[in-house]
Amino acid sequence: MNAGADTCKPPHVVILGGGFGGMAAARRLAGAAVQVTLVDRRNHHLFQPLLYQVATASLAAPSIAAPLRQILRRQRNLTVLLNEVVGIDLTARRVQCTHGALDYDYLVVATGATHAYFGHDEWERFAPGLKTLDDAFLIRRRVLLAFENAERESDPARRQAWLSFVVVGGGSTGVELAGTLIELARHTLSREFRRSDPRHATVRLIEAGPRLLPAFDPALSDKARRQLERLGVEVHTGVAVTGIDANGVKLGERRLSARTVLWAAGVAASPVGGLLGTALDPAGRVQVLDDLSLPGHPESFVVGDLAGIAQADGKPVPGVAPAAKQMGRHVGTTIRARLRGSDERQPFRYRDDGSLATIGRMAAVAQFGRLKLSGFPAWVVWLLAHIYFLIGFRNRLVVMLDWAWAYCTHQRHARIVSGDDLPDDDAASR
Amino acid sequence: MNAGADTCKPPHVVILGGGFGGMAAARRLAGAAVQVTLVDRRNHHLFQPLLYQVATASLAAPSIAAPLRQILRRQRNLTVLLNEVVGIDLTARRVQCTHGALDYDYLVVATGATHAYFGHDEWERFAPGLKTLDDAFLIRRRVLLAFENAERESDPARRQAWLSFVVVGGGSTGVELAGTLIELARHTLSREFRRSDPRHATVRLIEAGPRLLPAFDPALSDKARRQLERLGVEVHTGVAVTGIDANGVKLGERRLSARTVLWAAGVAASPVGGLLGTALDPAGRVQVLDDLSLPGHPESFVVGDLAGIAQADGKPVPGVAPAAKQMGRHVGTTIRARLRGSDERQPFRYRDDGSLATIGRMAAVAQFGRLKLSGFPAWVVWLLAHIYFLIGFRNRLVVMLDWAWAYCTHQRHARIVSGDDLPDDDAASR
């Protein structure tokens, strides 16, 4: 596992993380005179913008996840290694993994973000977040079992508690989850239960800030809110969650009763950032120079959600897939320039290609510079963009088919509860 | 949860298990003047004949599993209940579940079979069997991680151990697993690894009996063996496994080194059979009368793999999907006749519609009465039959697409390793 020892060998680029940032860096280095090792804990690249559709039983996991090896199999200068990073020595230029170590000439750290509970880690068991496929399976399981529990429950108050859902966080993920949940209850499941009625389900969306989708124009935030309310979601803005337990959430003095709470409120930078030993910003992101390199280590870079870097206007670059891709490509280009002997440092500039969030069937908001769309036209743009950016022709085909199917029938085909455990009324054992 | 107490209520039929047998009984009762409750531990009906394709990353789970509620949503006299049976009182006509109890007028027990280790339950952790979706995920995970471990391993002997696979049991499942594994190694993964070469993988199929596919004509067993060998599988018949551990299997004095062992050798009847308190045969199946009812309890029936019943020639009815379906329908018909006041007991007769087993790409064996097919024609019959019997039009479409895709590209799209744990060299923690 030792590279760079032999002087004849090409420089070794180690990329940590196979998300949008790491993948873009790897691809940008295709054909370059380097040896690339892409390290990830998981064997697949995940199309995170559609993860909420796995969590709400609309898509099967393989439709939005593809093996890193398969995606990159034609890139002959690249090796994929399933491994976990446990230490980084920037001076010795060495990454320590659970299984072995890697010496590098260039390092790209792209390990992303995870969900965060603002110091309330005890909320996690009651309110799972959504970052990985396993998170999506857990949420799918809890949501589907909530309806099953309601069907078995004879006490009306307890039944209604099982039919009560709270989504914490009004960013895109929260909006998408809330919109899909209400559609699941009112349309998909409506005719399949005999004792309980899923149409009586309530979905509440809680946002601490003054409006939904803070990354969008305020007019679109309003539109999103109205579209959600039309679907049946109860939207609460300007209220902070102060407690979460098995029976619901606390909002200061108020209490919302709900057996199922989903967390879409906060992200924290990946703990791998802390292994670098360099300065982190308050959100745990690694402070990088304007070319995304680490201060004093021009051969080491951080890209994606883990990189703490500001735009020209002083606002941080948002933690979205296009930003991560742009950063990955930028670093790939920088490394290629270095190989040619250039020491010039090109600063990274984030190009905002627009924002999209879907709300439900035929409802979405979109913003491209000064162009703002909502409702059906935004939804069509959202559909096309997400199909276009999915990795793999086969996945595009299957996702299109699944969406067309769901559109025509209101059915969601991935309503599988796996795991041998039966649902339990005791949330502690969920 | 109490039915039948009110005299105006229609008779209550409780069906335990939503597999092929229970589902067929439920459907046969559509429109009848009964109230049907279908109880299952899982929320989905599983198309088990294709489960090995989920285990070998060819199909996504939702393609072969559909929610029971969704399949049966139009049957207005039927309720689906997610629950687990813990006791059956045949005299009181009451089923005790984890959550509540159900009184019945008619009972249909259709809980099927699980895999069995012939008194060696300690083998299970080293050699998982294949009955549920979770089993399939576990096998998929182990198989995919074996190739990843080989890639990380620098010692040639240990690398080869990770590339060595043993399948125990030469029935359809064993033959299908072995054939798919060798194709996975030789074709799907062949170009994606840099340090190890998946084409060096070995797949050995071990059968204790004298030939593969004992349910088929001996000529087809021979053909299957030759087709498997042509694909590269090493077939051992007439040798019994005497031990399994983390490093391989023991065959008497011999030892086959392999880090991945899969179990397809034996099934045992579901433990729910034991709750009836009636006589079981040596395989744990419930001994039933020729109309599938329990001796002394004409209102209680057992169908599917759990029913111990012989054909006219004295051989047991095989534990296959068509037999379970036929039994389910037979019992449904019997209950309908009773509702009309008939006490006639129609004996169940198994109609052998033929047998099919696939071996790999364009290779299969098929037997319909005196007609025997092998190779490409059998494979086409196998394809058409499996697509035809899949539940749901959408699934048929997606599975056809997936198979066409795999056929043209050799790719398998469900190569996802989920779960946060990294692979570990220590089999005890696998």
Side-chain angles (χ1 to χ4, degrees), chain A residues 191-388:
Chain A
R191 284 157 198 280
E192 299 188 10
F193 291 79
R194 302 290 184 250
R195 302 167 184 198
S196 64
D197 188 343
R199 284 170 299 185
H200 295 158
T202 63
V203 178
R204 295 182 180 108
L205 178 62
I206 317 287
E207 164 59 39
R211 60 185 177 100
L212 299 181
L213 302 174
F216 287 70
D217 184 88
L220 289 178
S221 294
D222 274 1
K223 289 234 164 85
R225 182 183 186 131
R226 261 176 287 147
Q227 290 179 64
L228 275 175
E229 287 173 341
R230 206 173 308 136
L231 290 172
V233 175
E234 228 179 76
V235 179
H236 301 255
T237 48
V239 280
V241 169
T242 53
I244 305 180
D245 59 32
N247 294 309
V249 298
K250 274 173 71 179
L251 309 169
E253 297 300 292
R254 279 178 70 195
R255 200 182 157 78
L256 301 180
S257 179
R259 293 302 299 255
T260 312
V261 182
L262 306 181
W263 184 260
V267 294
S270 145
V272 172
L275 301 176
L276 295 168
T278 60
L280 305 179
D281 72 9
R285 284 178 300 228
V286 179
Q287 294 186 358
V288 291
L289 301 180
D290 63 359
D291 68 340
L292 300 169
S293 72
L294 287 171
H297 295 280
E299 76 292 346
S300 298
F301 304 87
V302 180
V303 304
D305 289 2
L306 184 59
I309 185 167
Q311 303 180 53
D313 60 3
K315 284 192 204 160
V317 174
V320 295
K325 282 187 191 175
Q326 291 173 27
M327 291 191 219
R329 275 196 296 266
H330 183 83
V331 165
T333 304
T334 303
I335 293 173
R336 292 186 88 113
R338 298 271 177 85
L339 295 173
R340 290 191 308 266
S342 160
D343 265 341
E344 206 189 337
R345 295 184 145 201
Q346 287 291 341
F348 171 72
R349 300 236 185 279
Y350 172 56
R351 194 184 66 247
D352 184 355
D353 292 333
S355 306
L356 282 163
T358 181
I359 290 152
R361 195 180 169 77
M362 298 190 282
V365 291
Q367 174 173 334
F368 305 99
R370 263 180 269 172
L371 176 67
K372 298 179 188 69
L373 299 173
S374 67
F376 185 74
W379 184 70
V380 170
V381 173
W382 180 91
L383 273 184
L384 296 176
H386 282 73
I387 285 172
Y388 178 79

Side-chain angles (χ1 to χ4, degrees), chain A residues 1 37 40-44 60-63 65-67 69-70 72-76 78-84 98-99 102 132-134 137 140 144-145 148 151-152 191-195 393-395 397-398 401-402 405 411-425, chain B residues 1 37 40-44 60-63 65-67 69-70 72-76 78-84 98-99 102 132-134 137 140 144-145 148 151-152 191-195 393-395 397-398 401-402 405 411-425:
Chain A
M1 291 225 182
T37 303
D40 201 304
R41 284 194 292 169
R42 300 197 179 83
N43 82 327
H44 51 273
S63 295
R69 275 187 203 296
Q70 184 191 333
L72 297 166
R73 68 188 182 282
R74 295 210 177 83
Q75 195 168 326
R76 301 305 304 175
L78 181 141
T79 303
V80 173
L81 206 62
L82 199 65
N83 221 329
E84 183 157 10
T98 317
H99 298 266
L102 294 161
T132 68
L133 276 180
D134 286 303
F137 296 146
R140 183 172 79 185
L144 295 177
L145 289 184
E148 298 291 341
E151 178 78 349
R152 264 206 323 262
R191 284 157 198 280
E192 299 188 10
F193 291 79
R194 302 290 184 250
R195 302 167 184 198
F393 175 72
R394 182 204 157 279
N395 288 341
L397 221 63
V398 171
L401 183 73
D402 283 344
W405 189 257
Q411 287 302 332
R412 294 166 194 275
H413 75 286
R415 282 169 42 204
I416 308 293
V417 178
S418 57
D420 268 335
D421 302 332
L422 249 195
D424 203 307
D425 292 80
Chain B
M1 289 221 181
T37 302
D40 201 304
R41 284 195 292 170
R42 301 196 177 83
N43 81 328
H44 51 273
S63 294
R69 274 186 205 294
Q70 185 190 334
L72 297 165
R73 69 188 180 281
R74 293 207 179 83
Q75 195 166 328
R76 299 306 304 177
L78 181 140
T79 303
V80 173
L81 206 62
L82 200 65
N83 220 329
E84 182 157 10
T98 318
H99 298 265
L102 294 162
T132 66
L133 276 181
D134 286 303
F137 296 146
R140 184 172 79 185
L144 296 177
L145 289 183
E148 298 290 340
E151 177 78 349
R152 266 206 321 261
R191 287 156 196 281
E192 299 188 12
F193 291 79
R194 302 292 183 249
R195 303 167 183 196
F393 175 72
R394 183 204 157 279
N395 287 341
L397 219 63
V398 172
L401 182 74
D402 283 345
W405 188 256
Q411 286 303 332
R412 290 164 199 277
H413 76 287
R415 282 168 43 205
I416 308 292
V417 177
S418 56
D420 268 336
D421 302 332
L422 248 194
D424 202 306
D425 292 83

Side-chain angles (χ1 to χ4, degrees), chain A residues 394 397, chain B residues 58-59 361 379 383 387 396-411:
Chain A
R394 182 204 157 279
L397 221 63
Chain B
S58 303
L59 291 177
R361 198 179 166 76
W379 184 70
L383 273 185
I387 284 173
R396 275 176 216 148
L397 219 63
V398 172
V399 168
M400 266 197 286
L401 182 74
D402 283 345
W403 285 350
W405 188 256
Y407 183 84
C408 299
T409 64
H410 276 294
Q411 286 303 332

Side-chain angles (χ1 to χ4, degrees), chain B residues 194-315:
Chain B
R194 302 292 183 249
R195 303 167 183 196
S196 65
D197 188 343
R199 284 170 299 184
H200 295 158
T202 62
V203 177
R204 296 183 180 109
L205 179 61
I206 317 287
E207 165 59 40
R211 60 185 178 98
L212 299 181
L213 300 176
F216 287 71
D217 184 271
L220 289 179
S221 293
D222 274 3
K223 289 232 163 87
R225 182 183 185 131
R226 261 176 285 149
Q227 290 178 65
L228 275 176
E229 287 173 342
R230 206 173 307 137
L231 290 172
V233 175
E234 227 180 76
V235 179
H236 301 255
T237 48
V239 280
V241 169
T242 54
I244 306 181
D245 59 31
N247 295 307
V249 298
K250 274 173 72 179
L251 309 168
E253 296 300 292
R254 279 177 72 191
R255 193 175 165 83
L256 300 180
S257 179
R259 293 301 298 257
T260 311
V261 182
L262 306 181
W263 184 260
V267 293
S270 145
V272 172
L275 300 176
L276 295 168
T278 61
L280 305 179
D281 72 10
R285 282 178 301 231
V286 179
Q287 295 186 359
V288 290
L289 300 180
D290 63 359
D291 68 340
L292 300 169
S293 71
L294 287 171
H297 293 282
E299 77 291 347
S300 298
F301 304 87
V302 180
V303 303
D305 290 2
L306 184 60
I309 185 168
Q311 302 180 53
D313 61 3
K315 283 192 204 160

